[in-house]
Amino acid sequence: MKYPGRIIKQGESDASIVAALKTKLNEMMGITNDPEQRLDPANPTFGPRMKALVKLFQTRHVDTTGRPLKADGEVGSLTWEALFGPKSVPTSTKPAGSYLARVLEIAAGEEAKKVRERPRNSNKGPEVSEYLRRTGVPPGLAWCCAFIYWSFDEAAKAMDRDNPMFKTAGCLNHWNNAERAGARRIKKSQAVNDTSLVRTGQIFIMDFGGGKGHTGLIERVDGGMITTIEGNTDASRTREGGGVYRLTRKIVEVNKGFVDYGGM
């Protein structure tokens, strides 16, 4: 059964979804033939007992990257995928149009070059300083957003067109002004409830408080997981790393939202 594009939780009214979940939970937990423990698929209620079994399933299983599922008793895209398999959740591998495809191609080229800060932990280096210069700020500042702007700008030059991205080196400044530039914003709550809204070529934005943020490009979406290309990070997924990396994140970890220039 395909993921319905929203979180399924206690009180769910769609009997067909509840029945499918109960059947799969019984199977995955090995209780199909246990009359005392099994859930009754013919009962359309998602009640406390079903919630408890979902939580137990979540504590015993992991997502596709091997990280623990959140044991909250609610069935989001990651838990759904763990139950029904990767083909049951929405995927996105192609951006909206040739321009965003070129943006991703250029960003991936920087990852392939293994761009790194020089010297280490300096927010400087030939490529890094150019990313920052392109947004009009001096070397030495955090540069994840500048890397995205540079990728958009290089693609625009290659295709002889205007760069649609709001010009800034600030992640949260970008979020606050993206709609003014004509982009669409997708808030975290919208994305978590309907992962199909998150698409290849979009930009994710995270807020760490105190004006600090982090951002990157989405290269691929697999249910509740995104493959990204990011600057100023490393394998630990920090916001103050030393290079351009390809990483995997959970959509639910993106606490601000997503910016989409695909409709322009």
Side-chain angles (χ1 to χ4, degrees), residues 42-65:
N43 182 342
T45 302
F46 188 147
R49 187 162 166 264
M50 182 174 174
K51 179 177 180 179
L53 190 61
V54 171
K55 289 179 72 172
L56 183 60
F57 173 85
Q58 290 168 327
T59 61
R60 294 181 178 180
H61 293 80
V62 296
D63 63 31
T64 53
T65 66

Side-chain angles (χ1 to χ4, degrees), residues 8-153:
I8 309 303
K9 54 189 176 182
Q10 188 171 330
E12 171 62 39
S13 60
D14 190 320
S16 63
I17 293 175
V18 173
L21 282 171
K22 285 183 175 182
T23 300
K24 183 57 72 170
L25 283 164
N26 288 338
E27 174 190 327
M28 295 289 285
M29 299 300 287
I31 58 175
T32 299
N33 298 316
D34 187 333
E36 293 186 1
Q37 296 189 61
R38 70 185 293 272
L39 299 172
D40 181 7
N43 182 342
T45 302
F46 188 147
R49 187 162 166 264
M50 182 174 174
K51 179 177 180 179
L53 190 61
V54 171
K55 289 179 72 172
L56 183 60
F57 173 85
Q58 290 168 327
T59 61
R60 294 181 178 180
H61 293 80
V62 296
D63 63 31
T64 53
T65 66
R67 287 187 280 170
L69 295 169
K70 183 180 180 181
D72 58 4
E74 299 181 356
V75 183
S77 59
L78 294 176
T79 298
W80 189 280
E81 184 176 11
L83 282 164
F84 293 97
K87 292 183 179 180
S88 67
V89 293
T91 61
S92 172
T93 59
K94 294 183 179 180
S98 58
Y99 173 65
L100 290 182
R102 182 64 68 89
V103 172
L104 284 170
E105 180 184 336
I106 288 168
E110 299 298 281
E111 189 277 333
K113 284 166 52 180
K114 299 189 182 302
V115 170
R116 300 292 186 265
E117 294 176 0
R118 286 184 276 170
R120 293 179 62 183
N121 302 318
S122 66
N123 284 337
K124 295 180 180 179
E127 297 92 352
V128 173
S129 295
E130 175 57 22
Y131 303 153
L132 289 164
R133 186 197 68 78
R134 195 69 64 89
T135 63
V137 299
L141 299 178
W143 53 277
C144 58
C145 188
F147 167 66
I148 303 302
Y149 182 82
W150 178 88
S151 299
F152 268 70
D153 209 42

